[in-house]
Protein backbone atom coordinates (compact mmCIF):
# COMPACT_ATOMS: atom_id res chain seq x y z
CA UNK A 1 0.00 0.00 0.00
CA UNK A 2 1.32 3.46 -0.91
CA UNK A 3 0.39 6.67 0.89
CA UNK A 4 0.40 9.79 -1.27
CA UNK A 5 -0.69 12.47 1.14
CA UNK A 6 1.79 15.15 0.05
CA UNK A 7 0.78 17.38 2.95
CA UNK A 8 1.69 14.56 5.30
CA UNK A 9 5.09 13.77 3.74
CA UNK A 10 6.70 17.23 3.61
CA UNK A 11 9.80 17.85 1.57
CA UNK A 12 13.23 17.99 3.18
CA UNK A 13 14.37 21.40 4.42
CA UNK A 14 17.71 22.85 5.46
CA UNK A 15 16.57 22.60 9.08
CA UNK A 16 16.75 18.80 9.09
CA UNK A 17 18.19 16.21 6.79
CA UNK A 18 16.46 13.37 8.60
CA UNK A 19 12.93 14.16 7.44
CA UNK A 20 11.22 10.91 6.36
CA UNK A 21 9.72 10.81 2.87
CA UNK A 22 7.06 8.44 1.51
CA UNK A 23 9.61 6.10 -0.09
CA UNK A 24 11.21 5.60 3.31
CA UNK A 25 7.78 4.89 4.83
CA UNK A 26 7.18 2.23 2.21
CA UNK A 27 10.47 0.59 3.18
CA UNK A 28 9.43 0.76 6.83
CA UNK A 29 6.30 -1.22 6.01
CA UNK A 30 8.29 -3.82 4.11
CA UNK A 31 10.49 -4.23 7.20
CA UNK A 32 7.96 -3.90 10.06
CA UNK A 33 4.72 -5.35 8.68
CA UNK A 34 5.96 -8.98 8.73
CA UNK A 35 7.19 -8.60 12.33
CA UNK A 36 4.62 -9.83 14.90
CA UNK A 37 5.37 -6.91 17.24
CA UNK A 38 3.26 -3.76 17.38
CA UNK A 39 5.18 -0.66 16.19
CA UNK A 40 4.35 2.95 15.43
CA UNK A 41 6.20 6.05 14.22
CA UNK A 42 4.92 9.60 14.76
CA UNK A 43 6.25 13.01 13.76
CA UNK A 44 7.16 15.83 16.13
CA UNK A 45 3.49 16.90 16.29
CA UNK A 46 2.45 13.29 17.12
CA UNK A 47 0.87 12.69 13.69
CA UNK A 48 1.06 9.00 12.77
CA UNK A 49 3.63 8.42 10.00
CA UNK A 50 3.73 4.62 10.13
CA UNK A 51 1.80 1.93 11.97
CA UNK A 52 2.38 -1.74 11.18
CA UNK A 53 -0.24 -4.45 10.69
CA UNK A 54 0.27 -5.95 14.15
CA UNK A 55 -0.47 -2.63 15.89
CA UNK A 56 -3.52 -2.03 13.71
CA UNK A 57 -4.92 -5.39 14.80
CA UNK A 58 -4.11 -4.61 18.42
CA UNK A 59 -5.86 -1.19 18.27
CA UNK A 60 -8.67 -2.58 16.06
CA UNK A 61 -8.20 0.11 13.39
CA UNK A 62 -7.16 0.11 9.73
CA UNK A 63 -4.11 1.88 8.35
CA UNK A 64 -6.35 4.24 6.37
CA UNK A 65 -8.05 5.25 9.64
CA UNK A 66 -4.75 5.82 11.45
CA UNK A 67 -2.24 7.34 9.00
CA UNK A 68 -2.01 11.15 9.17
CA UNK A 69 -4.07 11.45 12.35
CA UNK A 70 -2.75 12.52 15.71
CA UNK A 71 -2.04 9.53 17.91
CA UNK A 72 -4.52 10.63 20.58
CA UNK A 73 -7.33 10.39 17.98
CA UNK A 74 -6.58 6.68 17.66
CA UNK A 75 -5.66 6.14 21.31
CA UNK A 76 -6.92 8.90 23.62
CA UNK A 77 -4.81 7.47 26.47
CA UNK A 78 -1.54 7.89 24.57
CA UNK A 79 1.37 9.47 26.43
CA UNK A 80 3.24 10.41 23.25
CA UNK A 81 2.40 14.13 23.66
CA UNK A 82 4.06 14.02 27.09
CA UNK A 83 7.09 12.10 25.79
CA UNK A 84 7.58 14.57 22.92
CA UNK A 85 7.28 17.52 25.28
CA UNK A 86 9.63 16.16 27.99
CA UNK A 87 12.01 14.53 25.46
CA UNK A 88 12.35 11.59 27.88
CA UNK A 89 11.87 7.99 26.81
CA UNK A 90 9.45 5.75 28.67
CA UNK A 91 10.83 2.22 28.70
CA UNK A 92 8.73 -0.82 29.66
CA UNK A 93 5.75 1.22 30.86
CA UNK A 94 2.50 -0.44 31.78
CA UNK A 95 -0.20 1.20 29.64
CA UNK A 96 -3.94 0.68 29.24
CA UNK A 97 -5.24 1.50 25.76
CA UNK A 98 -8.62 3.01 24.93
CA UNK A 99 -9.93 -0.40 23.83
CA UNK A 100 -9.23 -1.79 27.32
CA UNK A 101 -6.09 -3.77 26.44
CA UNK A 102 -3.23 -3.46 28.95
CA UNK A 103 0.33 -3.87 27.70
CA UNK A 104 3.99 -3.11 28.39
CA UNK A 105 5.22 -0.47 25.94
CA UNK A 106 8.26 1.60 24.91
CA UNK A 107 7.91 5.26 23.84
CA UNK A 108 11.12 6.83 22.56
CA UNK A 109 11.61 10.41 21.30
CA UNK A 110 14.11 10.73 18.43
CA UNK A 111 16.19 13.92 18.70
CA UNK A 112 18.57 15.75 16.37
CA UNK A 113 21.99 17.17 17.28
CA UNK A 114 20.34 20.34 18.58
CA UNK A 115 18.23 18.28 21.02
CA UNK A 116 15.07 18.99 19.01
CA UNK A 117 12.37 16.33 18.69
CA UNK A 118 12.06 14.92 15.16
CA UNK A 119 10.01 11.76 15.65
CA UNK A 120 8.58 9.42 18.22
CA UNK A 121 8.89 5.63 18.04
CA UNK A 122 6.61 3.30 19.95
CA UNK A 123 6.55 -0.46 20.44
CA UNK A 124 4.33 -2.84 22.37
CA UNK A 125 6.71 -5.14 24.22
CA UNK A 126 4.04 -7.41 25.73
CA UNK A 127 0.40 -7.14 24.67
CA UNK A 128 -0.70 -9.82 27.12
CA UNK A 129 -0.13 -9.09 30.82
CA UNK A 130 -0.59 -12.73 31.76
CA UNK A 131 2.19 -13.66 29.35
CA UNK A 132 4.35 -10.89 30.83
CA UNK A 133 3.66 -12.17 34.35
CA UNK A 134 4.52 -15.73 33.34
CA UNK A 135 7.83 -14.61 31.85
CA UNK A 136 8.72 -12.75 35.06
CA UNK A 137 7.86 -15.82 37.16
CA UNK A 138 9.87 -18.10 34.87
CA UNK A 139 12.80 -15.67 34.95
CA UNK A 140 12.76 -15.58 38.76
CA UNK A 141 12.64 -19.37 38.87
CA UNK A 142 15.50 -19.53 36.38
CA UNK A 143 17.57 -17.10 38.43
CA UNK A 144 16.85 -19.14 41.57
CA UNK A 145 17.88 -22.35 39.80
CA UNK A 146 21.05 -20.75 38.43
CA UNK A 147 21.95 -19.51 41.91
CA UNK A 148 21.26 -22.97 43.36
CA UNK A 149 23.34 -24.78 40.76
CA UNK A 150 26.18 -22.27 41.15
CA UNK A 151 26.21 -23.08 44.86
CA UNK A 152 26.13 -26.81 44.14
CA UNK A 153 28.95 -26.42 41.62
CA UNK A 154 31.07 -24.52 44.13
CA UNK A 155 30.50 -27.28 46.70
CA UNK A 156 31.51 -29.89 44.15
CA UNK A 157 34.57 -27.89 43.16
CA UNK A 158 35.48 -27.27 46.79
CA UNK A 159 36.08 -23.50 46.97
CA UNK A 160 33.36 -21.66 48.90
CA UNK A 161 34.84 -18.32 49.86
CA UNK A 162 35.61 -15.09 48.01
CA UNK A 163 37.34 -11.84 48.95
CA UNK A 164 34.04 -10.62 50.43
CA UNK A 165 34.32 -13.32 53.09
CA UNK A 166 37.65 -11.97 54.34
CA UNK A 167 36.66 -9.31 56.86
CA UNK A 168 38.94 -6.44 57.76
CA UNK A 169 39.91 -2.98 56.54
CA UNK A 170 43.05 -2.44 58.61
CA UNK A 171 46.16 -1.42 56.74
CA UNK A 172 47.87 -4.81 57.05
CA UNK A 173 44.81 -6.82 56.05
CA UNK A 174 44.06 -4.47 53.16
CA UNK A 175 47.63 -4.92 51.88
CA UNK A 176 47.38 -8.71 52.16
CA UNK A 177 44.06 -8.77 50.30
CA UNK A 178 45.31 -6.44 47.58
CA UNK A 179 48.38 -8.60 47.01
CA UNK A 180 46.16 -11.69 47.02
CA UNK A 181 43.90 -10.20 44.34
CA UNK A 182 46.91 -9.48 42.15
CA UNK A 183 48.19 -13.00 42.77
CA UNK A 184 44.89 -14.54 41.70
CA UNK A 185 45.30 -13.08 38.21
CA UNK A 186 48.50 -15.05 37.60
CA UNK A 187 49.18 -18.77 37.41
CA UNK A 188 52.18 -18.67 39.74
CA UNK A 189 52.62 -20.87 42.80
CA UNK A 190 51.40 -19.18 45.99
CA UNK A 191 52.70 -19.52 49.55
CA UNK A 192 50.42 -18.22 52.30
CA UNK A 193 52.06 -17.71 55.69
CA UNK A 194 50.59 -16.73 59.02
CA UNK A 195 49.82 -17.98 62.48
CA UNK A 196 47.20 -20.64 63.12
CA UNK A 197 43.67 -19.27 62.94
CA UNK A 198 44.42 -16.16 60.86
CA UNK A 199 42.38 -17.29 57.84
CA UNK A 200 44.99 -18.68 55.46
CA UNK A 201 42.49 -21.12 53.97
CA UNK A 202 40.07 -18.27 53.21
CA UNK A 203 42.82 -16.63 51.18
CA UNK A 204 43.41 -19.86 49.26
CA UNK A 205 39.69 -20.14 48.41
CA UNK A 206 39.49 -16.49 47.37
CA UNK A 207 42.59 -16.71 45.16
CA UNK A 208 41.17 -19.74 43.34
CA UNK A 209 37.70 -18.21 42.94
CA UNK A 210 39.13 -14.98 41.50
CA UNK A 211 41.41 -16.81 39.06
CA UNK A 212 40.84 -18.10 35.54
CA UNK A 213 40.61 -21.57 37.13
CA UNK A 214 37.55 -20.64 39.19
CA UNK A 215 35.25 -23.05 37.31
CA UNK A 216 37.68 -25.93 37.76
CA UNK A 217 38.24 -28.07 40.88
CA UNK A 218 39.70 -26.76 44.12
CA UNK A 219 41.17 -29.66 46.10
CA UNK A 220 42.29 -29.32 49.72
CA UNK A 221 44.94 -31.48 51.39
CA UNK A 222 46.13 -31.10 54.99
CA UNK A 223 49.70 -32.37 54.86
CA UNK A 224 49.86 -32.57 58.65
CA UNK A 225 46.68 -34.60 59.09
CA UNK A 226 47.51 -37.49 56.72
CA UNK A 227 49.92 -40.20 57.97
CA UNK A 228 53.27 -39.92 56.21
CA UNK A 229 53.08 -43.42 54.74
CA UNK A 230 49.72 -42.63 53.13
CA UNK A 231 50.47 -39.13 51.88
CA UNK A 232 52.06 -40.24 48.59
CA UNK A 233 49.07 -42.34 47.55
CA UNK A 234 46.69 -39.55 48.60
CA UNK A 235 48.49 -36.97 46.49
CA UNK A 236 49.51 -39.02 43.45
CA UNK A 237 47.30 -42.11 43.54
CA UNK A 238 48.37 -45.63 42.63
CA UNK A 239 47.94 -48.29 39.97
CA UNK A 240 46.09 -51.55 40.49
CA UNK A 241 48.37 -54.08 42.22
CA UNK A 242 50.94 -51.45 43.14
CA UNK A 243 51.21 -52.86 46.66
CA UNK A 244 49.53 -55.35 48.97
CA UNK A 245 46.05 -54.09 49.78
CA UNK A 246 45.80 -51.77 46.80
CA UNK A 247 42.18 -51.67 45.72
CA UNK A 248 41.07 -53.02 42.38
CA UNK A 249 41.32 -50.49 39.60
CA UNK A 250 43.82 -48.37 41.52
CA UNK A 251 43.18 -44.92 42.94
CA UNK A 252 43.18 -41.41 41.54
CA UNK A 253 45.28 -38.98 43.57
CA UNK A 254 44.40 -35.47 44.69
CA UNK A 255 46.60 -33.88 42.03
CA UNK A 256 44.68 -35.68 39.28
CA UNK A 257 41.37 -34.66 40.85
CA UNK A 258 42.57 -31.04 40.72
CA UNK A 259 43.36 -31.18 36.97
CA UNK A 260 42.79 -27.76 35.42
CA UNK A 261 42.18 -26.20 38.83
CA UNK A 262 44.08 -25.59 42.07
CA UNK A 263 45.34 -27.78 44.89
CA UNK A 264 45.65 -26.30 48.37
CA UNK A 265 48.46 -27.90 50.37
CA UNK A 266 47.80 -26.79 53.93
CA UNK A 267 50.46 -27.23 56.64
CA UNK A 268 53.12 -27.70 53.96
CA UNK A 269 55.78 -27.41 56.67
CA UNK A 270 54.71 -30.81 58.02
CA UNK A 271 55.33 -32.61 54.72
CA UNK A 272 58.02 -35.32 55.09
CA UNK A 273 61.29 -34.87 53.21
CA UNK A 274 60.56 -37.88 50.98
CA UNK A 275 57.37 -36.25 49.74
CA UNK A 276 59.06 -32.88 49.35
CA UNK A 277 61.29 -34.41 46.68
CA UNK A 278 58.25 -35.64 44.75
CA UNK A 279 56.46 -32.31 45.12
CA UNK A 280 59.52 -30.53 43.76
CA UNK A 281 59.28 -32.70 40.65
CA UNK A 282 55.65 -31.69 40.22
CA UNK A 283 56.62 -28.02 40.36
CA UNK A 284 59.55 -28.42 37.99
CA UNK A 285 58.23 -30.91 35.44
CA UNK A 286 54.44 -30.40 35.75
CA UNK A 287 53.94 -34.15 36.02
CA UNK A 288 53.09 -36.79 38.61
CA UNK A 289 53.91 -40.47 38.87
CA UNK A 290 51.30 -42.64 40.64
CA UNK A 291 52.66 -45.48 42.75
CA UNK A 292 53.26 -48.49 40.51
CA UNK A 293 52.98 -46.47 37.27
CA UNK A 294 55.52 -46.99 34.52
CA UNK A 295 55.16 -43.55 32.97
CA UNK A 296 54.61 -40.08 34.47
CA UNK A 297 51.37 -38.18 33.81
CA UNK A 298 51.36 -34.54 32.71
CA UNK A 299 49.11 -32.30 34.81
CA UNK A 300 47.89 -28.71 34.80
CA UNK A 301 47.40 -27.75 38.44
CA UNK A 302 48.15 -24.56 40.34
CA UNK A 303 49.70 -25.13 43.77
CA UNK A 304 48.63 -22.94 46.68
CA UNK A 305 50.52 -23.84 49.86
CA UNK A 306 50.10 -22.58 53.41
CA UNK A 307 51.99 -22.88 56.66
CA UNK A 308 52.12 -21.42 60.15
CA UNK A 309 55.79 -22.30 60.44
CA UNK A 310 58.93 -20.43 59.46
CA UNK A 311 60.03 -22.47 56.46
CA UNK A 312 63.43 -20.82 56.25
CA UNK A 313 64.06 -21.86 59.84
CA UNK A 314 63.08 -25.43 58.90
CA UNK A 315 65.46 -25.23 55.92
CA UNK A 316 68.36 -24.30 58.23
CA UNK A 317 67.46 -27.20 60.54
CA UNK A 318 67.37 -29.60 57.59
CA UNK A 319 63.63 -30.33 57.94
CA UNK A 320 62.61 -28.62 54.69
CA UNK A 321 64.30 -28.68 51.30
CA UNK A 322 65.82 -25.35 50.31
CA UNK A 323 65.10 -25.87 46.58
CA UNK A 324 61.44 -26.63 47.33
CA UNK A 325 61.22 -23.56 49.55
CA UNK A 326 62.37 -21.29 46.72
CA UNK A 327 60.00 -23.03 44.29
CA UNK A 328 57.09 -22.36 46.63
CA UNK A 329 58.17 -18.87 47.64
CA UNK A 330 57.18 -17.22 44.34
CA UNK A 331 54.14 -15.22 45.42
CA UNK A 332 54.09 -15.06 49.23
CA UNK A 333 51.18 -13.61 51.18
CA UNK A 334 51.58 -13.00 54.90
CA UNK A 335 48.22 -13.00 56.69
CA UNK A 336 48.53 -10.70 59.73
CA UNK A 337 47.63 -12.01 63.21
CA UNK A 338 44.61 -10.50 64.93
CA UNK A 339 46.73 -8.66 67.50
CA UNK A 340 48.26 -6.64 64.65
CA UNK A 341 44.87 -5.55 63.34
CA UNK A 342 42.89 -4.86 66.50
CA UNK A 343 40.91 -2.18 64.64
CA UNK A 344 39.21 -4.98 62.68
CA UNK A 345 37.64 -6.52 65.80
CA UNK A 346 34.46 -4.40 65.52
CA UNK A 347 33.61 -5.52 61.98
CA UNK A 348 34.86 -9.07 62.61
CA UNK A 349 32.63 -9.38 65.67
CA UNK A 350 29.53 -8.19 63.79
CA UNK A 351 30.20 -10.61 60.94
CA UNK A 352 30.85 -13.54 63.29
CA UNK A 353 27.66 -12.82 65.27
CA UNK A 354 25.63 -13.14 62.08
CA UNK A 355 27.43 -16.34 61.10
CA UNK A 356 27.04 -17.89 64.57
CA UNK A 357 23.38 -16.84 64.85
CA UNK A 358 22.61 -18.77 61.68
CA UNK A 359 24.62 -21.74 62.92
CA UNK A 360 23.26 -21.90 66.49
CA UNK A 361 19.75 -20.55 66.05
CA UNK A 362 20.55 -18.23 68.98
CA UNK A 363 20.10 -14.72 67.69
CA UNK A 364 22.43 -12.16 69.24
CA UNK A 365 22.75 -8.96 67.26
CA UNK A 366 24.74 -6.69 69.53
CA UNK A 367 27.66 -6.50 71.93
CA UNK A 368 28.29 -3.83 74.54
CA UNK A 369 31.07 -1.28 74.15
CA UNK A 370 32.64 -2.53 77.38
CA UNK A 371 32.79 -6.08 75.99
CA UNK A 372 34.31 -4.83 72.72
CA UNK A 373 36.95 -2.89 74.67
CA UNK A 374 37.86 -6.07 76.55
CA UNK A 375 38.17 -7.99 73.28
CA UNK A 376 40.43 -5.27 71.92
CA UNK A 377 42.66 -5.48 74.99
CA UNK A 378 43.37 -9.18 74.54
CA UNK A 379 46.35 -10.48 72.51
CA UNK A 380 44.46 -13.31 70.68
CA UNK A 381 47.11 -16.04 70.33
CA UNK A 382 44.44 -18.16 68.60
CA UNK A 383 43.56 -15.30 66.24
CA UNK A 384 40.16 -15.15 64.48
CA UNK A 385 39.41 -18.79 65.27
CA UNK A 386 39.75 -18.02 68.99
CA UNK A 387 37.58 -14.93 68.66
CA UNK A 388 34.86 -17.00 67.01
CA UNK A 389 34.98 -19.56 69.84
CA UNK A 390 34.80 -16.82 72.49
CA UNK A 391 31.78 -15.25 70.78
CA UNK A 392 30.04 -18.62 70.42
CA UNK A 393 30.46 -19.22 74.15
CA UNK A 394 29.16 -15.72 74.95
CA UNK A 395 26.12 -16.18 72.70
CA UNK A 396 25.14 -19.34 74.56
CA UNK A 397 25.41 -17.50 77.87
CA UNK A 398 23.98 -14.15 76.78
CA UNK A 399 20.46 -12.89 77.39
CA UNK A 400 18.14 -10.56 75.49
CA UNK A 401 20.28 -10.70 72.35
CA UNK A 402 23.27 -8.80 73.72
CA UNK A 403 26.77 -9.84 74.80
CA UNK A 404 28.08 -8.21 77.99
CA UNK A 405 31.49 -8.46 79.70
CA UNK A 406 30.07 -11.03 82.13
CA UNK A 407 29.51 -13.42 79.21
CA UNK A 408 33.21 -13.42 78.23
CA UNK A 409 35.60 -16.09 79.60
CA UNK A 410 37.52 -15.17 82.75
CA UNK A 411 40.95 -15.61 81.17
CA UNK A 412 40.10 -12.68 78.87
CA UNK A 413 38.39 -10.44 81.44
CA UNK A 414 41.13 -11.05 84.05
CA UNK A 415 43.77 -10.21 81.49
CA UNK A 416 41.88 -7.04 80.74
CA UNK A 417 41.70 -6.18 84.45
CA UNK A 418 45.40 -6.86 84.97
CA UNK A 419 46.22 -4.83 81.89
CA UNK A 420 44.27 -1.87 83.21
CA UNK A 421 45.93 -2.22 86.59
CA UNK A 422 49.42 -2.44 85.09
CA UNK A 423 49.11 -0.71 81.73
CA UNK A 424 52.63 0.74 81.72
CA UNK A 425 54.25 -2.70 82.06
CA UNK A 426 52.13 -4.23 79.35
CA UNK A 427 52.84 -1.40 76.96
CA UNK A 428 56.58 -1.52 77.69
CA UNK A 429 56.64 -5.24 76.89
CA UNK A 430 54.78 -4.67 73.62
CA UNK A 431 57.06 -1.79 72.68
CA UNK A 432 60.20 -3.87 73.30
CA UNK A 433 58.84 -6.78 71.22
CA UNK A 434 57.83 -4.48 68.39
CA UNK A 435 61.20 -2.74 68.35
CA UNK A 436 63.05 -6.09 68.43
CA UNK A 437 60.98 -7.35 65.50
CA UNK A 438 61.61 -4.20 63.45
CA UNK A 439 65.37 -4.29 64.15
CA UNK A 440 65.61 -7.94 63.08
CA UNK A 441 63.69 -7.16 59.88
CA UNK A 442 65.97 -4.19 59.14
CA UNK A 443 69.18 -6.18 59.69
CA UNK A 444 67.89 -9.06 57.56
CA UNK A 445 67.21 -6.60 54.76
CA UNK A 446 70.61 -4.96 55.16
CA UNK A 447 72.37 -8.34 54.96
CA UNK A 448 70.05 -9.52 52.15
CA UNK A 449 68.80 -12.38 54.31
CA UNK A 450 72.18 -13.63 55.49
CA UNK A 451 71.40 -15.17 58.92
CA UNK A 452 75.02 -15.48 60.07
CA UNK A 453 75.79 -11.80 59.37
CA UNK A 454 72.49 -10.72 60.94
CA UNK A 455 73.19 -12.73 64.11
CA UNK A 456 76.68 -11.18 64.39
CA UNK A 457 75.29 -7.65 63.97
CA UNK A 458 72.71 -8.34 66.68
CA UNK A 459 75.29 -9.97 68.96
CA UNK A 460 73.32 -13.20 69.31
CA UNK A 461 73.80 -16.78 68.17
CA UNK A 462 72.31 -17.99 64.90
CA UNK A 463 70.03 -20.44 66.70
CA UNK A 464 68.76 -17.58 68.90
CA UNK A 465 68.04 -15.57 65.74
CA UNK A 466 66.06 -18.48 64.30
CA UNK A 467 64.02 -18.75 67.50
CA UNK A 468 63.17 -15.06 67.35
CA UNK A 469 62.31 -15.27 63.64
CA UNK A 470 59.96 -18.13 64.33
CA UNK A 471 58.44 -16.25 67.28
CA UNK A 472 57.77 -13.17 65.15
CA UNK A 473 56.77 -15.27 62.10
CA UNK A 474 59.51 -13.77 59.94
CA UNK A 475 60.63 -15.31 56.66
CA UNK A 476 63.11 -14.15 54.04
Amino acid sequence: MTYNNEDFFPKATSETELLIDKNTIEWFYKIFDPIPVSMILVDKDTNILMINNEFCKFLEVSKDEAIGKKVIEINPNSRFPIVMRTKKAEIAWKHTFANGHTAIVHRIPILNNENEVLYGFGMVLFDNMEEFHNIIVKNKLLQTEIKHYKQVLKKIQGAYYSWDNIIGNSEKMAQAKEFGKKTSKTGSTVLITGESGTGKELFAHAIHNASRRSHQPFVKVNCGAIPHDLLESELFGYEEGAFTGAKKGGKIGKFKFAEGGSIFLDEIGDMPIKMQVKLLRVLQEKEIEPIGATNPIKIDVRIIAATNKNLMYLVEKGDFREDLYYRLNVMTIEVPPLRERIEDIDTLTKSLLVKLSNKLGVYVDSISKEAIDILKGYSWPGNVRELENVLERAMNLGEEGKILPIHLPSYITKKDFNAKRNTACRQLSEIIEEMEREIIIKYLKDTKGNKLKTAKLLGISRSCLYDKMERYNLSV
Side-chain angles (χ1 to χ4, degrees):
M1 182 181 293
T2 303
Y3 300 95
N4 296 313
N5 188 340
E6 295 296 332
D7 293 331
F8 179 65
F9 299 110
K11 296 178 181 178
T13 67
S14 58
E15 295 179 359
T16 174
E17 296 178 356
L18 296 176
L19 200 60
I20 297 176
D21 59 23
K22 57 185 178 182
N23 292 325
T24 305
I25 293 294
E26 289 179 9
W27 274 105
F28 280 173
Y29 280 119
K30 288 179 182 178
I31 295 170
F32 295 126
D33 266 346
I35 299 175
V37 176
S38 298
M39 298 182 187
I40 189 171
L41 183 71
V42 301
D43 67 11
K44 63 181 181 180
D45 298 317
T46 72
N47 297 306
I48 299 174
L49 295 176
M50 186 278 299
I51 181 170
N52 70 348
N53 288 333
E54 191 71 19
F55 208 0
C56 286
K57 286 191 289 184
F58 182 76
L59 293 175
E60 300 170 356
V61 297
S62 67
K63 287 183 178 178
D64 289 327
E65 292 174 313
I67 294 297
K69 293 183 180 177
K70 290 191 178 296
V71 71
I72 58 172
E73 295 181 47
I74 303 301
N75 176 33
N77 298 338
S78 175
R79 287 179 54 83
F80 258 119
I82 298 171
V83 169
M84 306 299 261
R85 186 171 65 252
T86 61
K87 303 179 183 178
K88 292 182 180 180
E90 294 181 346
I91 304 298
W93 276 57
K94 183 180 178 181
H95 180 73
T96 301
F97 290 84
N99 60 8
H101 292 315
T102 300
I104 302 298
V105 304
H106 293 335
R107 304 182 191 92
I108 303 169
I110 299 170
L111 312 176
N112 63 12
N113 293 335
E114 284 73 41
N115 201 39
E116 298 170 334
V117 176
L118 297 178
Y119 307 103
F121 176 76
M123 182 175 75
V124 176
L125 194 60
F126 293 100
D127 56 13
N128 184 313
M129 291 305 295
E130 184 177 350
E131 176 189 358
F132 179 57
H133 175 73
N134 289 339
I135 288 175
I136 290 176
V137 171
K138 287 178 182 177
N139 185 56
K140 285 183 177 179
L141 288 172
L142 181 61
Q143 287 179 336
T144 302
E145 287 182 10
I146 290 172
K147 184 178 180 181
H148 169 70
Y149 287 121
K150 278 184 176 180
Q151 291 172 343
V152 171
L153 184 61
K154 281 197 176 294
K155 287 182 179 179
I156 292 171
Q157 292 171 341
Y160 316 130
Y161 308 111
S162 67
W163 296 114
D164 293 335
N165 297 114
I166 300 176
I167 308 301
N169 297 312
S170 61
E171 183 179 355
K172 288 191 175 182
M173 181 54 82
Q175 288 175 352
K177 286 168 69 174
E178 182 61 28
F179 189 73
K181 289 176 182 178
K182 291 179 179 178
T183 299
S184 65
K185 296 176 182 178
T186 75
S188 300
T189 301
V190 184
L191 178 62
I192 306 171
T193 64
E195 297 175 10
S196 179
T198 52
K200 297 186 292 297
E201 185 173 337
L202 292 182
F203 271 79
H205 282 245
I207 289 168
H208 173 80
N209 276 332
S211 73
R212 62 178 178 82
R213 298 173 181 266
S214 60
H215 297 298
Q216 300 300 326
F218 177 79
V219 177
K220 298 172 287 184
V221 180
N222 189 319
C223 301
I226 301 173
H228 290 183
D229 55 342
L230 297 179
L231 188 57
E232 183 176 2
S233 63
E234 281 294 315
L235 290 177
F236 306 128
Y238 57 78
E239 297 292 315
E240 182 176 347
F243 51 83
T244 303
K247 71 178 183 179
K248 189 176 181 180
K251 178 181 178 180
I252 297 175
K254 301 291 188 184
F255 269 97
K256 193 60 181 174
F257 272 123
E259 177 65 31
S262 307
I263 188 166
F264 175 48
L265 301 178
D266 199 8
E267 305 299 346
I268 191 73
D270 293 331
M271 179 176 281
I273 289 288
K274 175 186 172 184
M275 284 304 304
Q276 292 177 28
V277 176
K278 294 182 178 291
L279 180 59
L280 182 63
R281 178 180 176 83
V282 176
L283 286 164
Q284 289 176 336
E285 308 298 333
K286 304 297 181 186
E287 61 184 28
I288 61 171
E289 190 169 328
I291 299 172
T294 55
N295 296 304
I297 301 171
K298 286 290 183 181
I299 58 164
D300 174 25
V301 176
R302 184 185 198 181
I303 294 176
I304 303 174
T307 182
N308 60 1
K309 297 184 176 181
N310 186 323
L311 292 186
M312 199 61 206
Y313 176 60
L314 296 181
V315 168
E316 296 289 345
K317 287 175 63 180
D319 293 334
F320 202 85
R321 290 184 62 95
E322 186 174 15
D323 46 5
L324 177 58
Y325 170 71
Y326 287 116
R327 281 285 180 177
L328 291 172
N329 194 28
V330 178
M331 304 291 284
T332 302
I333 302 170
E334 184 177 351
V335 183
L338 187 54
R339 65 179 175 277
E340 293 183 7
R341 57 186 189 105
I342 292 297
E343 59 268 42
D344 287 335
I345 282 183
D346 288 286
T347 51
L348 268 171
T349 299
K350 290 177 184 177
S351 176
L352 289 171
L353 287 179
V354 174
K355 174 186 173 181
L356 291 168
S357 291
N358 293 330
K359 171 187 170 183
L360 303 174
V362 178
Y363 295 97
V364 175
D365 58 2
S366 64
I367 181 170
S368 70
K369 183 181 182 303
E370 293 78 12
I372 282 287
D373 289 340
I374 291 172
L375 296 180
K376 288 182 175 179
Y378 182 58
S379 61
W380 298 107
N383 293 294
V384 180
R385 188 180 295 129
E386 184 182 6
L387 174 61
E388 183 173 350
N389 292 339
V390 166
L391 292 174
E392 182 172 347
R393 175 188 185 276
M395 288 176 70
N396 284 309
L397 296 176
E399 299 174 1
E400 298 181 357
K402 189 171 186 176
I403 293 176
L404 302 173
I406 194 173
H407 303 135
L408 300 176
S410 59
Y411 72 88
I412 290 181
T413 54
K414 284 181 180 178
K415 183 176 180 63
D416 181 70
F417 173 76
N418 291 331
K420 288 179 179 177
R421 188 175 62 181
N422 197 10
T423 304
C425 260
R426 183 175 64 85
Q427 288 181 344
L428 179 59
S429 173
E430 288 180 354
I431 290 169
I432 290 171
E433 287 184 357
E434 185 63 28
M435 287 181 66
E436 185 176 55
R437 187 177 189 275
E438 289 179 3
I439 290 169
I440 292 172
I441 291 172
K442 180 182 183 301
Y443 278 31
L444 284 169
K445 286 181 179 178
D446 290 345
T447 61
K448 298 181 180 179
N450 188 304
K451 313 298 185 308
L452 183 60
K453 288 183 179 179
T454 300
K456 286 182 178 179
L457 287 171
L458 292 170
I460 58 178
S461 67
R462 192 162 61 168
S463 61
C464 180
L465 173 63
Y466 288 142
D467 289 339
K468 290 181 181 294
M469 288 178 65
E470 186 170 19
R471 177 183 177 184
Y472 296 131
N473 195 34
L474 300 178
S475 60
V476 178

